[in-house]
Amino acid sequence: MLPEKIREVLREKRKLTVEEYLQLPETNSHTELIDGVLYVYDGQEGNMARPTVLHQRISMSITLFVARFLHNPGLYNAPIDLILGDNVVQPDILWISPDNTTCHEVNGRLYGAPNFVVEILSPSTHRKDKGAKFDLYDEHGVYEYWIVDPQEQFMEIYTRHENVLHRQGGYEVGKTFTSRILNNTPVDVSALLG
Amino acid sequence: MLPEKIREALREKRKMTADEYFQLPETNIHMELIAGELIVYDGQEGNMPAPKDLHQKISSRLFAFFLKYLDTDQLRHAPCDIKLDSGNIVQPDILWVNPQNDQCVLMDDGYLHGAPDFVVEILSPSNTRRDKIDKFYLYEQYGVHEYWIVNPEEQYIEVYIRKENTLHYQGGYKMGQTFVSHILNGATVDLSTLLG
C-alpha cells in the first residue's frame, strides 16, 4: 500500500524538489521524479501501470545475460533511486563501472550518470523512455542505453560518441548486435526477448 | 478488393523483386516490399491492418502543416511507391523531395527511385517494429535527411536527423513541447496543435 504522504502529493499534483522526494516515506513501488512531477508505477488511482510478468521476465533475462560481462558490484535492478540534476529516475537495469567518475553513492542513493542503462518499455512508458529520460541519460553522460520493447520484441541501442548518444541500431528477434559496453560481445536478441 | 494476383503472392509467401512488384495489378491499398517480402495493409486474411481514422486524421494535419513550409509539388502522402533498391519499395505516410535532390528521381516507369529528403511514418500498434527497424535502416542507408516517427496513441513524435552517414536522434517530444525542424527551415513545431 502506498504511504498516505505519497498519495497526498499525487492527489494535490504538487511539484517536488529532489530533497522533498527523498524525504517521502519508504515504498517498494517504482517511483520517479521528472521535471518536479512525481510518477508512481503501482497501477492505482490513475497512476502508471505496474510492471507486468513479461516486463519482469525480460528484465531478469537481460540482467542474467549482462551479469556475465559486467563487473559486480555495480549492477543494479529497479527500484533504485538515481539522481540526475533535479530529477530522480529508477532505470530497470543500470551498471556503474569500477572506474566511473560521474556516479557516486551518497546516503544509499546514486547521484550522476551510470555507464549503462536499460529501460524496458511498457505501453504507458514509451513516451518517457524515449523523451524525458532519454534526454537525461544523454545530457548526464550515460555511455550505452538499451530501450527494449517486449511486446514488439525488438530493442534499440544508443551509444555515446563525441558526447552524445547516437543510435547504433534497432534489432529484432533473430538478429544479433555487438555491444560496446559488453566488450564488443555479440548479443543474440532471441536469447533475451524470445 | 485486392486483385487475385496479389492475393496469390501473399498466399504463396513468394519473395519478389521490385520489377515483379511493379507488374502487380494496380490497387489503391497501401503495400510495401521489404527485403523481397510483400506486405499489404488492408486488414484482410492475416494482412496488416488498414489505417484507422486516428492515423488518417494525424496524417491530414501533418500534411496541411507541411504545406506552409514545403513546396506542394514535391510533397506526397501514402500510397506513393518509392523504390529504394531491387528488393525494397516503401510507401511512407508522408514524404518530401527537395527539388535540388538528385538521389530521389522520377524515372520513366512513373515511380520515384531513391530516398526522399523527408519522411514521416505514423505508427499503428502493428507496424512499430517495421518503422523503427526495417524502414529505419533503409532510410538511414539510402540517405533520408529527416525522419519523424509519430505515435498518435501515445501522442509523441521522435525526430531523427542525418549526421554524416547515420540518422541521429534529435529527440522525443510530447504534447505541450515544441521542437525546431531543420527540414522545415528551422520552423518551430508545436506538438499540441498537430497531435492534440
Side-chain angles (χ1 to χ4, degrees):
Chain A
M1 187 65 175
L2 208 56
E4 173 52 28
K5 281 244 172 180
I6 297 181
R7 293 145 61 95
E8 192 185 297
V9 172
L10 290 171
R11 261 200 313 277
E12 298 174 358
K13 295 187 198 303
R14 186 148 45 86
K15 287 233 177 185
L16 298 181
T17 63
V18 170
E19 287 68 30
E20 289 168 324
Y21 171 94
L22 296 178
Q23 280 161 23
L24 292 173
E26 203 172 5
T27 169
N28 278 324
S29 286
H30 178 31
T31 57
E32 294 188 310
L33 185 73
I34 298 178
D35 291 332
V37 178
L38 179 67
Y39 295 92
V40 177
Y41 302 80
D42 68 348
Q44 299 297 307
E45 306 170 13
N47 295 345
M48 307 291 277
R50 297 174 57 77
T52 60
V53 170
L54 176 64
H55 182 284
Q56 295 304 86
R57 190 174 71 218
I58 291 197
S59 175
M60 184 58 78
S61 28
I62 295 177
T63 305
L64 291 173
F65 181 81
V66 300
R68 288 156 50 194
F69 305 95
L70 301 177
H71 185 270
N72 186 41
L75 187 60
Y76 297 92
N77 275 115
I80 181 166
D81 284 326
L82 172 68
I83 292 118
L84 299 174
D86 297 330
N87 304 277
V88 185
V89 293
Q90 292 184 341
D92 287 313
I93 301 168
L94 67 87
W95 179 66
I96 305 156
S97 75
D99 59 357
N100 178 303
T101 55
T102 53
C103 190
H104 306 281
E105 188 191 330
V106 181
N107 295 329
R109 261 113 181 179
L110 298 173
Y111 288 77
N115 300 64
F116 178 44
V117 171
V118 179
E119 293 285 7
I120 300 159
L121 299 177
S122 312
S124 58
T125 67
H126 272 240
R127 196 169 49 198
K128 219 175 265 111
D129 292 329
K130 275 306 285 269
K133 285 165 85 173
F134 185 96
D135 291 344
L136 287 173
Y137 298 148
D138 191 23
E139 278 161 31
H140 287 267
V142 168
Y143 190 81
E144 187 160 316
Y145 181 27
W146 294 8
I147 303 174
V148 180
D149 188 327
Q151 266 90 23
E152 291 278 310
Q153 297 196 302
F154 73 94
M155 45 208 293
E156 287 183 279
I157 311 299
Y158 287 83
T159 50
R160 180 162 297 271
H161 290 275
E162 293 164 3
N163 240 10
V164 277
L165 283 174
H166 280 269
R167 189 179 191 273
Q168 175 181 325
Y171 309 97
E172 59 192 312
V173 166
K175 294 275 167 63
T176 300
F177 68 91
T178 302
S179 165
R180 283 209 299 178
I181 204 95
L182 304 181
N183 306 317
N184 296 318
T185 303
V187 180
D188 175 3
V189 178
S190 309
L192 301 181
L193 307 185
Chain B
M1 186 67 173
L2 208 57
E4 174 54 26
K5 280 244 173 184
I6 298 179
R7 292 147 60 96
E8 191 185 299
L10 288 171
R11 265 200 310 276
E12 298 174 359
K13 295 188 197 303
R14 187 152 41 86
K15 287 241 174 182
M16 59 175 73
T17 63
D19 291 342
E20 290 169 318
Y21 174 95
F22 283 129
Q23 281 160 23
L24 291 172
E26 203 172 8
T27 167
N28 278 325
I29 289 167
H30 177 30
M31 302 198 303
E32 295 185 308
L33 186 71
I34 306 232
E37 186 193 346
L38 180 66
I39 297 147
V40 175
Y41 302 82
D42 68 348
Q44 298 299 307
E45 305 170 14
N47 295 345
M48 303 293 277
K52 294 208 168 118
D53 181 65
L54 176 63
H55 182 285
Q56 297 305 85
K57 182 177 85 180
I58 300 297
S59 176
S60 296
R61 278 202 198 156
L62 290 167
F63 197 83
F65 178 73
F66 296 149
L67 285 174
K68 292 196 267 182
Y69 303 96
L70 302 173
D71 177 2
T72 311
D73 280 353
Q74 304 291 114
L75 198 57
R76 300 282 181 277
H77 58 71
C80 173
D81 282 321
I82 301 287
K83 181 182 172 185
L84 295 174
D85 61 36
S86 61
N88 292 288
I89 297 164
V90 292
Q91 291 183 345
D93 285 313
I94 300 174
L95 66 96
W96 179 73
V97 179
N98 184 332
Q100 271 92 52
N101 175 346
D102 53 8
Q103 72 183 8
C104 183
V105 287
L106 183 62
M107 303 288 265
D108 291 341
D109 60 8
Y111 295 106
L112 291 167
H113 291 230
D117 293 80
F118 180 36
V119 171
V120 177
E121 294 286 8
I122 301 163
L123 297 178
S124 311
S126 56
N127 72 6
T128 305
R129 189 172 58 197
R130 216 170 280 288
D131 289 333
K132 290 195 171 181
I133 297 194
D134 309 84
K135 288 161 85 174
F136 190 103
Y137 175 73
L138 290 168
Y139 297 150
E140 187 170 59
Q141 188 187 359
Y142 285 105
V144 167
H145 280 266
E146 189 162 315
Y147 181 27
W148 293 14
I149 301 178
V150 180
N151 188 326
E153 261 101 22
E154 291 283 312
Q155 299 186 302
Y156 76 98
I157 301 183
E158 290 175 28
V159 177
Y160 296 84
I161 51 168
R162 177 155 299 270
K163 283 205 177 149
E164 288 157 16
N165 291 324
T166 61
L167 281 173
H168 174 74
Y169 187 51
Q170 176 180 322
Y173 309 98
K174 59 178 176 173
M175 300 284 285
Q177 292 186 321
T178 60
F179 69 92
V180 171
S181 165
H182 184 72
I183 205 100
L184 303 179
N185 303 317
T188 300
V189 181
D190 178 356
L191 272 282
S192 307
T193 57
L194 293 178
L195 305 186

